[in-house]
Amino acid sequence: MNDDSGITHNSAYDSTIGVQAGVVHNANISIGHQDATPEEKYKLGVRFLEDGVPSRARDLIGQAIAQKYDNAEVRFHWVLAMLSTRAYHDLGTEERQQLQRASEAVRDYAEGEWKDALRVAFDLLAMRGTPDGETERVLERLRTLSPGIRDKIVHHFDLVLTGGLKDGLWAERRLWAEAERLDNQRVQRVWAYFEPDPIGPRALPPRPSTAAAARAALPVRAGLFAAVTAVLAVLALVADPASAAVELLVALAAGLTAAHFGRRWWYQEHHLKIKSRWLQIPNPRDPAATGDGFTNRVRHSFDHYFTVRVPYGLTPQEWLGHTTDIRESLAAEIAVLYRESRIPVDRVNWLIRYLAEDARDRYGKGTLFDQRRLNQTSAGAKGLCVAALAVLGFMTLSLLGTVASGGGGSQLVLAVLAVAGAVWSGRAAASSWLEAGGEERRLAEETREYQEQLAARQAAYQKWKSQLDATRPSELEMETWLTCDKTLFIDEALRHYQLTWQDLITHTILLTPARPYRRGRVKGGPWRYSRYAFRLFLVTQDGVREVGAEFDFTNARRGNRQRSNYRFDALSSVQVTEHSETGYDLELYLTNGPAQKISVKDADADQLVPGENAQEITDISLDAAGFVHTFHLLEGIAADGKGWIDRINPKNLPFFHAAG
C-alpha cells in the first residue's frame, strides 16, 4: 500500500514470502451472460480485445457473428482477435479456412472505413513471404487509415507482420511507445489498481441492556435488606437505645458515602470487564495471548500504521509504547467486526489507517486519553469508598456487640442471622441498583459513541473509495502501458544484437510474475502484476537469442538484464507442469546446461468471484501472458530443431489469398 509517508507497505502478513493475495475488482468489464444480445457480445468482445484477452474476444465476437450480427466493423475486430498474440502458423486448418472465407466475403459489406481497414488487414496477411519491395503499396494503404484503426492493426498483427512490413512501421511504433509509456500519470496511479476494494464501515453496536432485569429484581432484594436491617436495628435499640442510635446513624452515613463514591468506581470496572469479555481482549503483556491468524494480521497492520502515523515530537517506538492498550483494544474491535471467511486484512486497512490517524490527531489536540480520564475514579474517591465500607463493617460489629451486651443468647443468634441476611441481601440489592443505573448510562454512552464512530468511519470510507475510484487505472490503460513496456524492451534487444525485423524468423515474449509482487484483475479479466519478468525469444537463422529482465510495473523501472544464446539443436525439450497449489511452470531443457524452470502463473482457485470459471480465468491469464504462442514456438523448435524453420516458412504454409 502506498502511504503518505512515501514508503510501500506490504501488509500480507503470515503469507508465503514474496506472494501477496490478489484482488478482484468489479470494474469496467463483466462476464457475458447467456441472454446477452449479439451486439452486447460484440461490444464485450471488443473490450476484451482492447484489454489484452484475444481468446475471450474471439469467442464472444464469433458468437455475435453466428447470431447474424455481421458487418465490416464486426468482422474487422474478429480478424484482429483471430491473429492477436498469434502468428499465422499458430492457426489451425479450420481457422485459416475461416479467414479465407471472411476475405472472400469482404465485397459484400457496405463501403466505408471499416471495409477499407478489413481489406488492408487481409492484404497484410497475404504479404507473408513476399519480396520486401512489394510491401510498400500495402504499407501506404495502411498509413492512410485513421490513427486509431492503424494502431489496432499494428498492435494485434505484431506476430503476423515480419520483415520489411515490420521494419517500415517499427520506428513510429517505438515513438508511440516512448510517448505513451508514462502517459496519464502512470507512476502516480498504478498502485491503486492493486488495492482491494475496501469493505464497508462498521462500528460496535450498543450491547443489549440488562437494566430491565436488574430493576425487576431490585424491589425484592431491597425489601429483604430493609427487613433484616430493621430486625437488627430493633434488637440493638431494645438492648441499648442511646448507643444503637449513634451506631445506626454512623452506619447509615457510611453506607451513603460508600454508595456515592463507589458508584463510578463500580461502573468503570464493570464496563471494562464486560467490554473485555465481549471483545476477548487479551493482555498484551501476556506472551500466550496470541489470537487467531486474522487477529494477528490486524495487530500487525495496527503496529505498521501507528509506526508511520506518529505525532510530532515522538519517535515511533515512543508512540507505540504510549498506545499499547489503545492498539490492542482497537485490534480486538476490528477482529470482532470483520472476522469473516475470505476477508483479507487488506480490505480493512483503510479503517485501520484512519484509526491510527485519528489517534495521532487526538493526541496532538490533547484529547486522546480524555475518555480514559473521564471514566477513571480518583484515588481519593476510591479511598473514601473503602474507608466508608470499613466504617460500615465496624458499625455492624458494634451493633452486634450492643445486642449481646443487653440481651440474651436468643437475641444474639437472631442478630447474627440478621447481619448475615443484611450482608447478603445488601450486596444483592446494591448490585441490582448499580447495574440498573449503570446499564442505562452505558447504553446511552454506547449509542452515542456508535453513531459518532459510524458517521466518522463512513466519511473516511467514502473519502478512500472516492480516491481509489478516481485514481485506479482502467484495463485499457494498464494494457497500453504494458504494451509500451514490451515494445521498448523488444526494441532495446534488437538494438543490442544489431538486428532488424528482416533478420528475424519470428519472436515471442513471455510475461511472468516476479516476486515479490502484488496482483489484481477485474472480474473476468487476466491477472496483472506489480512486478513482471519479461522473457523475449528472438529466432534467427543462427538460433535463439533469449533476453530476460524484471520490470517494476508500478514505477516503470527495469532491472538487470540476462542474455543467453543457443542453437536450435541445443533445446532438447519443453515441458509444462500444472500444480493445483502453485500454478503453471514451464521448463526448458537444454543439452548443454541445466533446465530452466519458469513460473508462468500462480494458482488462483481461491481468488474467484461468483460467476467465474476457474479454467476460463486460467486460460485468459495464460493467453494474456503470451504463454500459448511461446509454448508452441519452443515446443516446435525442441521437436524439429532447425527443420522447424522450413515447417513455418510462409512458402510451405497454405497460401492466403486476399480476395476482398
Side-chain angles (χ1 to χ4, degrees):
M1 177 175 293
N2 190 288
D3 298 318
D4 297 337
S5 59
I7 66 173
T8 299
H9 167 46
N10 183 339
S11 56
Y13 295 98
D14 300 336
S15 62
T16 304
I17 295 176
V19 180
Q20 182 153 331
V23 298
V24 183
H25 307 295
N26 287 315
N28 58 355
I29 194 167
S30 60
I31 300 175
H33 52 85
Q34 293 181 346
D35 298 330
T37 66
E39 184 178 5
E40 290 173 337
K41 290 180 179 179
Y42 162 69
K43 290 181 177 179
L44 185 56
V46 172
R47 181 65 61 82
F48 271 109
L49 182 63
E50 293 174 342
D51 294 346
V53 192
S55 60
R56 191 80 173 107
R58 285 193 292 272
D59 293 339
L60 289 166
I61 299 176
Q63 291 176 30
I65 293 175
Q67 293 176 283
K68 309 303 181 183
Y69 188 74
D70 191 9
N71 54 47
E73 179 185 352
V74 174
R75 188 62 69 169
F76 171 75
H77 286 99
W78 175 81
V79 171
L80 296 185
M82 287 289 287
L83 294 166
S84 184
T85 71
R86 301 203 290 181
Y88 187 71
H89 60 262
D90 289 329
L91 303 179
T93 302
E94 175 60 26
E95 290 175 317
R96 292 170 185 161
Q97 292 174 353
Q98 288 177 350
L99 284 170
Q100 189 64 62
R101 289 194 295 269
S103 173
E104 295 168 356
V106 170
R107 63 176 66 92
D108 299 329
Y109 297 128
E111 295 294 332
E113 65 172 351
W114 293 111
K115 184 173 181 177
D116 293 339
L118 197 53
R119 285 194 181 108
V120 171
F122 283 127
D123 285 344
L124 288 170
L125 190 57
M127 287 292 102
R128 297 172 305 103
T130 60
D132 294 336
E134 299 180 17
T135 64
E136 191 61 33
R137 177 182 56 85
V138 180
L139 288 178
E140 287 301 320
R141 292 179 56 201
L142 175 63
R143 292 189 176 97
T144 62
L145 298 176
S146 65
I149 295 178
R150 183 175 66 247
D151 289 344
K152 286 184 177 183
I153 294 177
V154 174
H155 173 55
H156 294 291
F157 273 44
D158 180 57
L159 296 176
V160 176
L161 301 176
T162 56
L165 284 171
K166 198 68 171 283
D167 278 331
L169 297 168
W170 189 245
E172 59 184 86
R173 186 67 175 169
R174 183 182 68 248
L175 292 175
W176 169 84
E178 290 173 346
E180 296 289 330
R181 177 170 168 264
L182 299 177
D183 199 26
N184 295 328
Q185 297 181 309
R186 169 182 176 173
V187 176
Q188 291 76 30
R189 296 176 56 214
V190 167
W191 65 268
Y193 187 88
F194 303 105
E195 284 295 316
D197 294 324
I199 195 168
R202 301 175 189 174
L204 285 178
R207 289 162 287 156
S209 174
T210 59
R215 281 194 297 268
L218 181 58
V220 176
R221 294 176 177 180
L224 180 60
F225 174 72
V228 294
T229 302
V231 170
L232 178 61
V234 169
L235 291 174
L237 288 170
V238 169
D240 188 346
S243 298
V246 174
E247 290 166 348
L248 288 171
L249 288 174
V250 174
L252 178 61
L256 293 175
T257 300
H260 176 74
F261 289 103
R263 187 174 184 178
R264 171 174 287 187
W265 189 7
W266 179 91
Y267 174 76
Q268 177 195 7
E269 297 298 325
H270 172 75
H271 180 70
L272 292 177
K273 181 169 63 176
I274 295 299
K275 183 177 181 180
S276 297
R277 186 185 306 157
W278 191 36
L279 294 179
Q280 297 180 339
I281 300 176
N283 184 350
R285 300 169 185 83
D286 182 3
T290 56
D292 59 20
F294 179 79
T295 303
N296 281 334
R297 287 189 288 271
V298 169
R299 285 200 193 103
H300 284 306
S301 195
F302 267 106
D303 289 345
H304 165 74
Y305 283 112
F306 269 76
T307 299
V308 297
R309 301 299 197 271
V310 181
Y312 178 77
L314 292 180
T315 66
Q317 291 305 316
E318 289 173 337
W319 178 232
L320 290 177
H322 279 308
T323 57
T324 299
D325 293 337
I326 292 176
R327 294 197 320 278
E328 198 62 42
S329 178
L330 290 173
E333 177 185 343
I334 297 302
V336 167
L337 289 173
Y338 292 98
R339 186 187 286 116
E340 299 176 10
S341 175
R342 301 172 72 89
I343 290 186
V345 173
D346 279 0
R347 295 190 63 193
V348 194
N349 274 337
W350 70 270
L351 178 54
I352 297 175
R353 182 175 60 251
Y354 160 74
L355 293 173
E357 292 170 351
D358 180 63
R360 177 199 61 192
D361 295 343
R362 287 194 289 130
Y363 180 86
K365 298 175 183 176
T367 60
L368 178 60
F369 303 107
D370 279 0
Q371 192 63 36
R372 182 188 299 178
R373 285 193 291 266
L374 288 173
N375 288 331
Q376 279 183 342
T377 305
S378 65
K382 291 180 180 180
L384 287 173
C385 180
V386 171
L389 290 173
V391 171
L392 180 61
F394 180 75
M395 287 300 102
T396 302
L397 294 176
S398 294
L399 287 170
L400 278 176
T402 300
V403 172
S405 64
S410 59
Q411 287 88 347
L412 180 59
V413 171
L414 186 58
V416 170
L417 293 175
V419 168
V423 171
W424 179 85
S425 60
R427 184 177 181 277
S431 177
S432 295
W433 173 71
L434 290 169
E435 185 174 355
E439 282 293 283
E440 289 179 351
R441 175 186 171 187
R442 179 195 60 77
L443 183 61
E445 288 183 356
E446 289 187 356
T447 300
R448 185 185 71 254
E449 290 176 2
Y450 171 74
Q451 293 170 346
E452 292 175 351
Q453 287 180 354
L454 191 59
R457 294 176 184 184
Q458 181 69 38
Y461 168 78
Q462 290 298 339
K463 180 180 178 182
W464 176 242
K465 192 172 186 305
S466 297
Q467 181 182 350
L468 279 182
D469 292 342
T471 307
R472 183 177 289 143
S474 66
E475 284 294 286
L476 180 57
E477 288 176 314
M478 294 288 286
E479 181 64 21
T480 299
W481 292 329
L482 186 58
T483 300
C484 292
D485 288 341
K486 291 191 292 184
T487 300
L488 295 176
F489 181 60
I490 294 172
D491 183 72
E492 184 179 295
L494 292 174
R495 290 170 181 268
H496 173 78
Y497 287 113
Q498 297 182 346
L499 296 172
T500 67
W501 286 104
Q502 297 185 62
D503 299 322
L504 297 183
I505 299 172
T506 189
H507 75 286
T508 187
I509 187 167
L510 179 64
L511 309 183
T512 60
R515 289 178 170 83
Y517 64 78
R518 302 181 73 190
R519 66 176 180 172
R521 63 181 179 86
V522 298
K523 183 178 179 181
W527 285 111
R528 301 188 185 278
Y529 300 91
S530 61
R531 297 184 74 250
Y532 282 98
F534 285 9
R535 288 179 181 268
L536 172 64
F537 298 89
L538 301 174
V539 183
T540 68
Q541 290 286 343
D542 299 325
V544 180
R545 291 176 171 86
E546 179 185 348
V547 185
E550 290 191 355
F551 278 74
D552 190 329
F553 190 75
T554 57
N555 57 25
R557 293 179 180 175
R558 184 165 47 210
N560 294 330
R561 298 145 187 80
Q562 304 86 39
R563 300 182 181 91
S564 59
N565 306 307
Y566 39 88
R567 302 183 311 275
F568 289 106
D569 57 0
L571 183 59
S572 60
S573 67
V574 180
Q575 180 176 323
V576 176
T577 306
E578 179 183 358
H579 305 281
S580 59
E581 295 183 356
T582 59
Y584 282 77
D585 290 334
L586 177 67
E587 293 181 283
L588 308 182
Y589 291 90
L590 302 176
T591 57
N592 58 350
Q596 294 186 39
K597 185 175 182 180
I598 305 171
S599 178
V600 180
K601 190 186 77 65
D602 289 327
D604 51 21
D606 61 338
Q607 297 292 324
L608 300 176
V609 298
E612 290 186 325
N613 177 272
Q615 188 58 50
E616 186 176 88
I617 296 301
T618 293
D619 293 342
I620 286 173
S621 295
L622 292 176
D623 187 27
F627 168 77
V628 177
H629 177 66
T630 300
F631 177 67
H632 287 166
L633 173 64
L634 297 177
E635 185 182 43
I637 294 175
D640 299 336
K642 198 164 186 177
W644 170 85
I645 298 177
D646 295 330
R647 185 161 63 84
I648 69 158
N649 191 315
K651 296 179 181 179
N652 297 329
L653 291 172
F655 180 70
F656 181 84
H657 175 65

